[in-house]
Amino acid sequence: GGAKTKEKKVKETDELDETYAGDELLTSNMECANEIDDFEKRLKSGSVLHQPKAAPKKAVAERKPVQAPQQYVMGSAKASKYDEAEEEAQEAREAMAEMDRFDAKLRS
C-alpha cells in the first residue's frame, strides 16, 4: 500500500515540476519575442543604425600582485606587531610628557 502512494506522489511532483518549467519557458519565450519585436521596430525607424557609440572605457588602475595567503598573513602579523610597539612607545611618550607637566607644576 505505501509504495503505490509514494509512486503517486512522485508522479504528481514530476507533473508540477513540468508545469512550472513550462511556465518559465513560456515567459522566457514571450520576453524574447517582445525583445525581437522592439528591435524590429527600432530597425524600421532607423534608430538602430544611428545609435551613439559607447563612451571609451577609462583606464583601469593596475592591481598589486596577489600574495600567497601565508605571506599575506605573515605580513599582517608583522605589521600588527610593529603597530603595537609604536602604539606603546607613543603611550610612553605621552605618559612622560604628563609627568613632566606635573613636575613643572610642583616646581612653580
Side-chain angles (χ1 to χ4, degrees):
K4 289 183 181 181
T5 307
K6 192 173 190 178
E7 287 177 21
K8 186 176 180 180
K9 285 183 181 179
V10 170
K11 186 176 179 182
E12 288 175 6
T13 304
D14 289 344
E15 288 175 5
L16 285 174
D17 289 343
E18 288 173 15
T19 302
Y20 286 119
D23 289 346
E24 291 172 6
L25 186 61
L26 181 62
T27 302
S28 176
N29 288 343
M30 289 174 64
E31 289 173 358
C32 288
N34 289 339
E35 289 177 13
I36 291 170
D37 290 342
D38 291 343
F39 177 76
E40 288 175 345
K41 287 177 189 174
R42 288 182 294 179
L43 189 59
K44 285 180 185 175
S45 70
S47 65
V48 171
L49 303 176
H50 304 290
Q51 287 183 344
K53 293 183 180 180
K57 293 183 177 181
K58 295 180 181 178
V60 178
E62 290 186 29
R63 294 182 178 177
K64 294 180 182 178
V66 178
Q67 295 179 335
Q70 185 178 8
Q71 292 172 337
Y72 180 79
V73 170
M74 293 303 290
S76 176
K78 288 178 186 174
S80 67
K81 286 181 182 176
Y82 174 76
D83 291 342
E84 288 175 16
E86 187 64 33
E87 188 177 325
E88 288 176 6
Q90 179 62 31
E91 289 174 359
R93 285 191 291 271
E94 290 172 3
M96 291 298 294
E98 188 176 338
M99 287 173 54
D100 289 343
R101 285 192 300 270
F102 181 74
D103 285 343
K105 283 183 185 178
L106 286 179
R107 292 184 189 149
S108 57

